[in-house]
Amino acid sequence: MDNDSEMTLGTKLLYAASLTLALTVVVRASDQNPVPGGRPFRAADASSEYAGSQSCERCHVKEHATWKDSLHIKMTKPIAEATVLGDFSEGTTFADHDRAYSFGRRDGKPFVTVKLGQAPPETFSVDFTLGAKRYQGYLATLPGGNMYVLPIFWHVEHKRWIDWKEITPIPDGAHDLRQIWNANCFNCHATNIAQGYDVAAKRYNSTWTEMGIGCEACHGPGREHNTLMAAWENNPALKPVYDTSDKNRQLSATLKILSTRSSDPKRTFDTCAYCHGNKTNVFVGFKAGDSYVDYALPFLISQPIPASDHQGEFWPDGRPNRFNRPQALTMSGCFQAGAISCASCHVSHGSKYEASLKVDIHDGRKGDELCTQCHSEPRREPGSGIRGPKTAAVTASFTGAGLADHTFHAPQSEGSRCISCHMSDANWRLLIRKRDHTFQPPVPENTARFGIPNACTTCHDERSPEWAARQMNEWWGDGDRRDKAVTLADTMYRAGSGDLTTLPGLARLAVDRSQGLLVRASAAEYIAQLVSDGRSDGAQRSGSMQTQTSFGGRMGARRAPVAPPPPS
């Protein structure tokens, strides 16, 4: 009997115990802000705590003005207040995926007529806009109060209509599958929304403090803070002496509202990540400063995917390929060290730069200031590859010869930019490319085996991954790091294919504190899936049993992952 491929009852119990331990470690590692009283607040319970963004303006004039022009507040807008980007001129039509659309206006208000296959057309009046960055969507309120996300989106950059099949993994064909905003999207696309579903009447009576991402969506309910500020203003003697610096972790408690600039990085991260990554909602009522995992389960590499999704949310090494940049950040050394949050680089009030960043990443080396605000010099010893130091006297630096000795590219070239190597384009879906947030150096071997993008051949696209691996050996000699990354990807790939022989590797990953929470939690869930399935033949899962890494053979030929060889 092959002990690696056939499991006894004792072995199953051993791995079940490993799963329990792994889940305990992973959950405890992420649970830093338990909800007072042990239960999440319901949205309706908290409604009186919210005061609205207009109450912030008197004291925070600059921040309020910047926020009013930001993408956050444009997330969901009533049509009367919205900037409509789509072409609703009379006579405009579009058809794709067996759905046909025509557009127009009645009394100045946009409408969309949708025809599914041979079914009669149906016309919807547009009541709200949804987003304004990459795409703008449109909501129609149905008779039951449910807010229908119409299956057509306006591509902002290309200025054209696209069917939602192009950006959402839905089944093919002229189905009438409908996404309902106040059932699916309400947690994040408005501030303090309560679904208000009336079971007896079978209708939604949804309420909210304001549409879009208001101040209180990111800082928490503001009424208590406003009351405190008014009391201090009326009687200055009541105002205590306190530290207003970013290092004061108690500032939020003092001010009775979340201060994202001074709170624990994990707490700020949870506030952002709750909305910026895909998740399975468990409870409603999340407020800024709460613990993400008390309310929702973030998507994992091991997340089962529908048969209609030809790729899944993640590459086999754990890096997201569609959304889920918060999950990617948990894999970075910076996050694991507790050194950064999303607010380290991004401005939630909005900025004039791409992705609401603090600086313009396209302005020469200025964009690297996001990295050098923490990293004063390269961590690797210059010239540590198999070729040896190029110039022993060169001092490690992010400028001049020291930078060139670190990057092996000209100091002012794109190849010497931090983001060129550590934040390459890894998110390929949604008809756009977005930068990797794991900050991991390239691993060309994973490109060769699994089609995972790497920075070297993304830039030098005429070269092969094997060439990039040789160059990395010569320049940096970091083969051990890359071997570890390949092992991780291989383990996750085979686990997603139902291979029981990955159980020992998964158990090691689940308790490995050098790995990010995404990897450890995914490894733990894979253990549960594999032990439950009881497979020993390594057979590929089929249909809805596939997981996020089960996308072999469905991508373009150049980047298609190949099945790894059987374990020796």
Side-chain angles (χ1 to χ4, degrees):
M1 180 184 296
D2 185 348
N3 291 331
D4 285 334
S5 61
E6 191 123 346
M7 296 187 66
T8 65
L9 176 60
T11 306
K12 288 185 178 181
L13 290 174
L14 173 62
Y15 285 121
S18 298
L19 168 63
T20 302
L21 172 62
L23 285 173
T24 301
V25 170
V26 170
V27 170
R28 285 185 177 177
S30 63
D31 184 14
Q32 296 188 10
N33 300 294
V35 175
R39 71 173 185 87
F41 286 99
R42 300 292 175 176
D45 297 340
S47 59
S48 63
E49 299 178 316
Y50 288 78
S53 296
Q54 74 281 352
S55 70
C56 308
E57 183 176 11
R58 186 171 73 88
C59 297
H60 304 281
V61 176
K62 180 181 177 182
E63 292 82 359
H64 191 273
T66 307
W67 161 80
K68 284 188 69 175
D69 195 41
S70 73
L71 289 167
H72 265 158
I73 192 56
K74 299 174 185 176
M75 180 50 66
T76 310
K77 297 292 287 183
I79 198 67
E81 303 172 15
T83 299
V84 178
L85 302 178
D87 181 6
F88 285 91
S89 56
E90 199 70 36
T92 301
T93 60
F94 175 77
D96 202 5
H97 298 289
D98 210 15
R99 283 179 284 274
Y101 306 93
S102 58
F103 307 86
R105 292 177 181 268
R106 289 199 185 100
D107 299 324
K109 189 177 182 180
F111 69 83
V112 181
T113 298
V114 183
K115 188 176 189 306
L116 307 172
Q118 301 305 311
E122 191 173 1
T123 297
F124 302 91
S125 179
V126 175
D127 298 313
F128 299 89
T129 60
L130 184 66
K133 184 180 179 181
R134 296 181 289 267
Y135 313 102
Q136 185 171 77
Y138 303 92
L139 309 182
T141 305
L142 303 182
N146 29 347
M147 299 163 70
Y148 176 27
V149 182
L150 295 170
I152 189 77
F153 287 79
W154 181 256
H155 194 297
V156 175
E157 181 182 1
H158 294 166
K159 294 181 172 53
R160 65 182 179 91
W161 290 108
I162 59 172
D163 185 270
W164 71 320
K165 173 69 176 177
E166 297 300 315
I167 56 176
T168 308
I170 58 172
D172 294 326
H175 54 75
D176 195 21
L177 182 66
R178 296 188 176 189
Q179 185 176 18
I180 303 302
W181 182 89
N182 44 351
N184 306 115
C185 320
F186 72 96
N187 297 65
C188 294
H189 288 192
T191 304
N192 185 38
I193 184 170
Q195 283 181 299
Y197 185 72
D198 186 328
V199 176
K202 296 182 179 180
R203 66 167 290 114
Y204 288 89
N205 298 300
S206 300
T207 61
W208 48 83
T209 299
E210 59 189 314
M211 280 296 197
I213 313 304
C215 303
E216 292 165 299
C218 299
H219 294 283
R223 192 170 299 281
E224 186 178 12
H225 169 74
N226 293 350
T227 301
L228 179 65
M229 295 301 103
W232 288 359
E233 185 176 30
N234 293 332
N235 186 357
L238 296 176
K239 184 177 181 179
V241 176
Y242 59 91
D243 178 9
T244 60
S245 75
D246 295 354
K247 299 184 183 302
N248 180 10
R249 293 286 184 260
Q250 300 306 312
L251 187 60
S252 297
T254 300
L255 299 178
K256 306 298 183 184
I257 199 164
L258 180 66
S259 169
T260 54
R261 66 178 177 84
S262 65
S263 68
D264 181 88
K266 175 62 165 55
R267 197 177 184 200
T268 299
F269 168 82
D270 277 3
T271 299
C272 303
Y274 181 78
C275 288
H276 283 272
N278 282 4
K279 64 186 183 297
T280 299
N281 294 312
V282 180
F283 299 105
V284 298
F286 176 89
K287 301 189 303 297
D290 286 342
S291 175
Y292 180 170
V293 295
D294 282 342
Y295 292 84
L297 300 175
F299 271 23
L300 302 177
I301 307 165
S302 50
Q303 187 87 14
I305 61 174
S308 58
D309 189 344
H310 292 173
Q311 183 165 341
E313 296 285 337
F314 298 92
W315 299 103
D317 65 348
R319 291 187 298 165
N321 61 53
R322 192 166 77 104
F323 286 124
N324 301 313
R325 286 181 291 284
Q327 283 92 317
L329 192 65
T330 68
M331 296 174 64
S332 71
C334 303
F335 180 86
Q336 292 175 49
I340 66 168
S341 69
C342 309
S344 299
C345 299
H346 299 273
V347 183
S348 58
H349 298 133
S351 80
K352 61 182 180 180
Y353 305 121
E354 178 183 316
S356 293
L357 289 165
K358 293 181 176 179
V359 300
D360 182 2
I361 60 171
H362 302 293
D363 183 10
R365 289 197 51 77
K366 188 173 181 61
D368 291 338
E369 292 176 4
L370 296 174
C371 305
T372 58
Q373 65 178 321
C374 297
H375 299 279
S376 58
E377 63 180 36
R379 293 183 60 182
R380 184 193 65 85
E381 289 298 321
S384 61
I386 62 175
R387 197 170 62 183
K390 291 166 61 180
T391 307
V394 172
T395 302
S397 170
F398 281 120
T399 61
L403 178 63
D405 207 48
H406 173 62
T407 66
F408 294 89
H409 288 73
Q412 297 303 318
S413 70
E414 281 296 309
S416 282
R417 299 285 311 282
C418 301
I419 60 174
S420 294
C421 291
H422 293 274
M423 293 191 72
S424 61
D425 295 332
N427 295 55
W428 282 19
R429 301 178 74 183
L430 293 176
L431 304 180
I432 54 174
R433 291 194 175 191
K434 301 297 287 184
R435 292 189 179 275
D436 177 22
H437 279 61
T438 67
F439 310 143
Q440 295 176 2
V443 184
E445 294 87 345
N446 273 340
T447 306
R449 294 193 67 179
F450 302 106
I452 303 170
N454 80 85
C456 302
T457 54
T458 296
C459 182
H460 301 278
D461 57 5
E462 79 286 0
R463 299 281 196 166
S464 69
E466 291 77 13
W467 164 82
R470 289 193 300 271
Q471 285 298 129
M472 294 190 73
N473 284 335
E474 181 177 348
W475 288 346
W476 293 288
D478 60 346
D480 289 346
R481 175 192 67 80
R482 299 188 336 258
D483 287 346
K484 184 178 179 180
V486 172
T487 298
L488 188 158
D490 175 73
T491 300
M492 292 295 185
Y493 184 98
R494 290 190 292 116
S497 298
D499 186 348
L500 270 176
T501 65
T502 60
L503 281 168
L506 291 169
R508 286 190 291 271
L509 287 171
V511 296
D512 182 356
R513 288 184 175 273
S514 71
Q515 299 291 347
L517 293 177
L518 171 67
V519 170
R520 295 170 63 197
S522 298
E525 186 170 61
Y526 268 143
I527 292 172
Q529 292 173 0
L530 292 172
V531 171
S532 176
D533 291 348
R535 282 191 175 86
S536 61
D537 56 3
Q540 173 74 32
R541 298 181 179 198
S542 61
S544 62
M545 289 296 291
Q546 291 179 347
T547 59
Q548 295 291 353
T549 59
S550 305
F551 55 84
R554 301 180 186 181
M555 298 164 56
R558 184 172 185 275
R559 295 291 187 183
V562 295
S568 57

